[in-house]
């Protein structure tokens, strides 16, 4: 099978991580010939020297959707397609912004369009909501136009996407996300130099890790309300929140009081993330909106308890392997934090449940194999 793997639109860290993992796993399926259309962001995470001769690399300097440069990029991609004559195209995350003349599988990961019941929308201004609705109209139009096959990371997302697109002849698949192989290799003691990333622990310090970039839907601002409550109801606590956001947002979004309980590292390389989990005690993810957060299986692999929002995208993935809270209720969050910090049996219970839950996720290789099986199937239609 001649397969084009289209990553031309990707710049976000989560989408890039999934794409890079998939591409590297394809090495284990040498029966195919792979043609990789890569954005600059994705290409910087891949070394062509790691790949055998059945991999071919095409680097795109600009996004295919925007302006005159985008028009030129789409034209260039069509030229490549005519030369390659592939059997199928997989856009790891769509929309692709161009329509291949062969069967096309598009990944879907826009939670804003399918979780309209998210509490995020209570926090948005009318202008912000208007912008989301405009982008939703554009994105869904191109998803429909660019192909007939869609793959999502949970059944809930696949079902909601089906209702959103609501077109006959479209087909939907589910392939779970998972932790990057870096985490599995780290646990097997076969990767990393175990360099220390955080300052030395203070006596009795308990660290909550929020491993994400700053976005409104990540709801990290809630710490400005949670931390003062903790300081009042749980005096002399040694709780620290470890963030990985850019310095500008950190300085702008968090109060001086909050910063006394926060350690902000800035952006962390993927290969260093397992060590960061190792130096923390639990995952804290107060997010209001996700399709799938890889933080959940990452914490499970690293045997760290999970605290997260009591919302359907989280409960479907985590099941009984998380302590849930109302993400808009600072008092509830603070109470649940205190409960986790002071209850070692609860932490152990969540870790054990997480190890069982991991068995329900595909491994990186299984995920790649499922993607390729779908591609093989649709290439024959």
């Amino acid at each position: 099978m001649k397969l084009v793997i289209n990553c031309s639109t990707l710049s976000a860290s989560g989408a890039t991580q999934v794409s890079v993992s998939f591409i590297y796993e394809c090495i284990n399926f040498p029966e195919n010939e792979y043609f990789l259309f890569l954005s600059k962001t994705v290409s910087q995470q891949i070394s062509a020297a790691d790949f055998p001769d059945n991999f071919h690399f095409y680097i795109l300097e600009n996004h295919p959707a925007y302006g005159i440069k985008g028009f030129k990029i789409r034209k260039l991609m069509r030229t490549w397609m005519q030369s390659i004559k592939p059997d199928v195209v997989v856009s790891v995350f769509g929309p692709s912004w161009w329509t291949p003349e062969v069967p096309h599988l598009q990944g879907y990961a826009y939670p804003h369009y399918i979780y309209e019941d998210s509490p995020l929308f209570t926090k948005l201004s009318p202008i912000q909501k208007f912008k989301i609705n405009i982008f939703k109209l554009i994105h869904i139009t191109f998803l429909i136009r660019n192909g007939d096959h869609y793959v999502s990371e949970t059944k809930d997302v696949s079902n909601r996407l089906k209702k959103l697109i609501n077109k006959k002849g479209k087909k939907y698949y589910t392939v779970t996300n998972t932790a990057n192989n870096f985490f599995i290799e780290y646990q097997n003691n076969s990767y990393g130099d175990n360099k220390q990333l955080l300052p030395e622990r203070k006596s009795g310090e308990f660290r909550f890790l929020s491993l994400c970039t700053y976005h409104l839907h990540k709801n990290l601002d809630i710490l400005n309300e949670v931390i003062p409550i903790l300081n009042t109801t749980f005096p002399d606590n040694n709780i620290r929140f470890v963030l990985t956001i850019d310095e500008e947002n950190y300085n702008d979004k968090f109060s001086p009081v909050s910063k006394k309980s926060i350690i902000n590292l800035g952006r962390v390389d993927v290969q260093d993330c397992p060590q960061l989990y190792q130096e923390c005690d639990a995952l804290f993810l107060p997010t209001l909106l996700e399709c799938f957060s890889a933080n959940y299986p990452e914490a499970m692999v690293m045997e760290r308890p999970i605290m997260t929002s009591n919302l359907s995208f989280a409960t479907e993935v985590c099941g009984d392997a998380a302590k849930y809270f109302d993400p808009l209720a600072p008092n509830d969050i603070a109470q649940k934090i205190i409960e986790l910090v002071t209850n070692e049996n609860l932490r152990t219970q969540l870790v054990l449940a997480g190890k069982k839950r991991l068995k329900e996720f595909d491994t990186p290789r299984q995920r790649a194999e499922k993607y390729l099986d779908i591609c093989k199937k649709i290439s024959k239609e």
Side-chain angles (χ1 to χ4, degrees):
M1 180 172 61
K2 295 175 71 174
L3 175 68
V4 167
I5 301 177
N6 175 36
C7 304
S8 60
T9 65
L10 305 183
S11 58
S13 57
T16 297
Q17 184 174 328
V18 171
S19 301
V20 171
S21 174
F22 171 51
I23 289 168
Y24 270 93
E25 289 298 334
C26 286
I27 295 174
N28 298 297
F29 302 91
E31 66 273 17
N32 303 311
E33 191 169 9
Y34 302 95
F35 301 83
L36 312 180
F37 293 3
L38 305 179
S39 68
K40 287 194 293 185
T41 302
V42 177
S43 69
Q44 289 167 0
Q45 302 292 321
I46 287 176
S47 172
D50 295 337
F51 293 83
D53 293 341
N54 59 325
F55 283 77
H56 312 276
F57 297 86
Y58 302 76
I59 312 302
L60 294 154
E61 294 297 320
N62 297 290
H63 195 286
Y66 305 137
I68 295 176
K69 290 182 179 179
F71 173 80
K72 292 180 178 178
I73 290 295
R74 295 194 299 274
K75 183 178 180 181
L76 178 61
M77 293 167 78
R78 287 193 291 269
T79 300
W80 289 343
M81 289 287 290
Q82 291 171 359
S83 174
I84 296 167
K85 294 182 172 58
D87 299 301
V88 65
V89 172
V90 54
S91 292
V92 180
F93 292 104
S96 63
W97 306 108
W98 58 285
T99 306
E101 296 181 356
V102 297
H104 184 198
L105 177 67
Q106 297 178 86
Y108 182 83
Y110 284 99
H112 297 70
Y113 308 155
I114 58 172
Y115 286 107
E116 294 181 329
D117 54 345
S118 167
L120 171 69
F121 293 99
T122 66
K123 301 180 66 174
L124 298 180
S125 68
I127 292 178
Q128 289 172 316
K129 292 178 183 177
F130 176 76
K131 287 181 178 179
I132 287 176
N133 285 328
I134 291 297
F135 282 116
K136 176 179 178 179
L137 177 63
I138 295 170
H139 285 180
I140 298 305
T141 297
F142 277 90
L143 279 169
I144 293 171
R145 180 185 300 175
N146 295 156
D148 295 328
H149 304 272
Y150 310 97
V151 60
S152 306
E153 295 171 323
T154 70
K155 290 182 179 178
D156 188 41
V157 171
S158 292
N159 291 334
R160 288 173 180 257
L161 178 62
K162 185 176 181 179
K163 291 180 181 179
L164 179 64
I165 290 180
N166 193 27
K167 293 286 184 181
K168 292 183 178 180
K170 304 295 186 180
K171 296 183 179 179
Y172 305 86
Y173 310 87
T174 301
V175 179
T176 65
N177 197 348
T178 190
N180 192 291
N181 259 338
F182 286 129
F183 290 87
I184 299 168
E185 293 167 356
Y186 183 97
Q187 287 296 75
N188 292 334
N189 297 316
S190 59
Y191 179 82
D193 56 9
N194 298 339
K195 63 181 180 182
Q196 184 170 315
L197 301 174
L198 295 173
E200 292 291 337
R201 280 182 184 266
K202 298 178 181 178
S203 177
E205 185 172 281
F206 193 101
R207 294 170 172 173
F208 284 98
L209 173 63
S210 299
L211 183 57
C212 57
T213 53
Y214 183 88
H215 293 290
L216 183 61
H217 71 271
K218 292 296 185 181
N219 196 34
L220 295 175
D221 309 68
I222 199 70
L223 288 175
N224 288 317
E225 300 175 70
V226 170
I227 289 172
I229 294 172
L230 287 173
N231 291 340
T232 300
T233 60
F234 195 32
D236 300 321
N237 73 78
N238 284 316
I239 297 172
R240 296 291 179 271
F241 296 90
V242 178
L243 306 185
T244 59
I245 66 176
D246 64 90
E247 197 66 21
E248 181 178 354
N249 275 313
Y250 177 64
N251 291 330
D252 184 49
K253 302 296 183 181
F254 295 93
S255 70
V257 171
S258 296
K259 289 178 180 177
K260 292 180 181 179
S261 297
I262 294 174
I263 303 169
N264 183 48
L265 292 179
R267 183 166 182 169
V268 176
D269 290 338
V270 173
Q271 58 266 32
D272 290 330
C273 290
Q275 178 64 22
L276 188 52
Y277 275 95
Q278 187 67 32
E279 294 180 34
C280 295
D281 301 292
L283 174 70
F284 177 72
L285 198 63
T287 179
L288 302 176
L289 199 59
E290 304 286 341
C291 278
F292 185 108
S293 173
N295 288 164
Y296 297 140
E298 290 168 0
M300 293 173 190
V301 171
M302 295 303 300
E303 300 183 1
R304 293 296 181 263
I306 297 168
M307 287 197 65
T308 193
S309 307
N310 190 13
L311 296 170
S312 63
F313 59 78
T315 57
E316 181 181 355
V317 174
C318 297
D320 61 353
K323 183 70 175 177
Y324 297 105
F325 50 72
D326 180 344
L328 296 184
N331 282 298
D332 184 55
I333 297 173
Q335 177 187 337
K336 301 293 174 55
I337 285 174
I338 294 171
E339 184 178 351
L340 189 80
V341 170
T342 58
N343 190 335
E344 184 178 356
N345 288 335
L346 173 60
R347 299 197 300 272
T348 300
Q349 175 187 332
L350 294 176
V351 168
L352 292 175
K355 293 172 74 172
K356 292 180 181 178
R357 194 76 180 172
L358 272 175
K359 298 175 183 178
E360 300 185 24
F361 303 135
D362 298 316
T363 65
R365 184 166 304 183
Q366 288 170 332
R367 176 175 59 188
E369 185 174 19
K370 288 185 177 181
Y371 279 156
L372 295 174
D373 284 346
I374 296 169
C375 290
K376 188 180 300 182
K377 177 181 176 182
I378 69 176
S379 71
K380 297 176 181 177
E381 294 181 353

